[in-house]
Amino acid sequence: MTGVVITPDFVRMMARYSAWQNAWHIEAIEGLDEAALTADRGAFFGSILGTANHLLWGDEIWLSRFAGTPPPEGGIPHSAALERDAAAWAARRRATDAGITNWAETLESCDGALTWHSGVVNADVSRPLDRLIVHFFNHQTHHRGQVHAMLTAAGVKTPLTDLAFMPDPQ
C-alpha cells in the first residue's frame, strides 16, 4: 500500500472541524487592533496575520489542486502578505472554508493520485490523493496551532480546539 486509508466521510469531518476552528480565529483576529495583528511574534511567518495568511494561501493552493478552483497569486514566500487587513482576510477565509466544505461534500473517493506542478521543487509531482488530503488537514492544524499560541500570547481567550469536542461531529 502506498497511501494512507481515509474516506470521504473523514474528509467531510475534517472540513467541518477546520471551519469550526477558523470561525473562532476569525472572531479573535477581527477583534485585534492592527498593531497586535501585525506584530512580529517570532513565528516563521512573523505575525498573527502573516501566519493566518499563509494558512489561507495553503488552503487555496491545495483546493485549486483538489477541486480546480483558482489558485492564489504568488508563492510561499509571498503567502504571508496575502491580505493586508483583518476584514479582507476574514472574508476570504470564510469563502475558502465554504469552498473546502463544498469540495468535501462532493468528494466521492480518496483513491488515485494527483499530479501538479510544485513551485517548491520546481517540478511536476505525483502523489497518492489520500496522502495529500491528510497533508492538507495536517498543514491546517499545524499553522492554526501557531496562530492559537500567538493569540493566547496576545491575551485572547481561546475556546476548546479538540476534535473530540466539535459540535455535531457526525
Side-chain angles (χ1 to χ4, degrees), residues 2 4 6 9 11 27 39 43 45 55 60 71 74 85-87 90 92 94-96 112 134 146 163 166:
T2 59
V4 294
I6 65 167
D9 284 339
V11 175
E27 184 178 334
F45 293 99
L55 172 54
E60 288 181 355
D85 62 56
R92 193 164 174 172
R94 285 182 185 102
T96 300
V134 170
Q146 292 175 322
L163 178 64
M166 179 174 67

Side-chain angles (χ1 to χ4, degrees), residues 62 66 114 116 127-137:
W62 281 107
F66 295 145
L114 177 69
W116 77 99
R127 297 287 185 271
L129 179 60
D130 56 357
R131 184 184 309 171
L132 296 174
I133 292 170
V134 170
H135 166 74
F136 173 63
F137 290 118

Side-chain angles (χ1 to χ4, degrees), residues 135-153:
H135 166 74
F136 173 63
F137 290 118
N138 188 58
H139 182 261
Q140 292 175 348
T141 301
H142 167 70
H143 287 300
R144 267 198 311 268
Q146 292 175 322
V147 172
H148 184 166
M150 290 185 279
L151 288 169
T152 301

Side-chain angles (χ1 to χ4, degrees), residues 55-68:
L55 172 54
L56 178 57
W57 181 91
D59 284 354
E60 288 181 355
I61 197 73
W62 281 107
L63 191 59
S64 74
R65 295 167 183 159
F66 295 145

Side-chain angles (χ1 to χ4, degrees), residues 36-119:
L37 187 61
T38 60
D40 188 338
R41 297 181 182 274
F44 190 81
F45 293 99
S47 66
I48 292 169
L49 183 59
T51 304
N53 269 328
H54 170 73
L55 172 54
L56 178 57
W57 181 91
D59 284 354
E60 288 181 355
I61 197 73
W62 281 107
L63 191 59
S64 74
R65 295 167 183 159
F66 295 145
T69 59
E73 292 185 18
I76 293 173
H78 307 289
S79 64
L82 191 65
E83 291 295 347
R84 298 286 179 194
D85 62 56
W89 172 84
R92 193 164 174 172
R93 176 77 265 173
R94 285 182 185 102
T96 300
D97 285 342
I100 293 168
T101 299
N102 183 60
W103 162 71
E105 290 299 324
T106 60
L107 186 67
E108 294 180 8
S109 173
C110 300
D111 295 332
L114 177 69
T115 301
W116 77 99
H117 183 81
S118 169

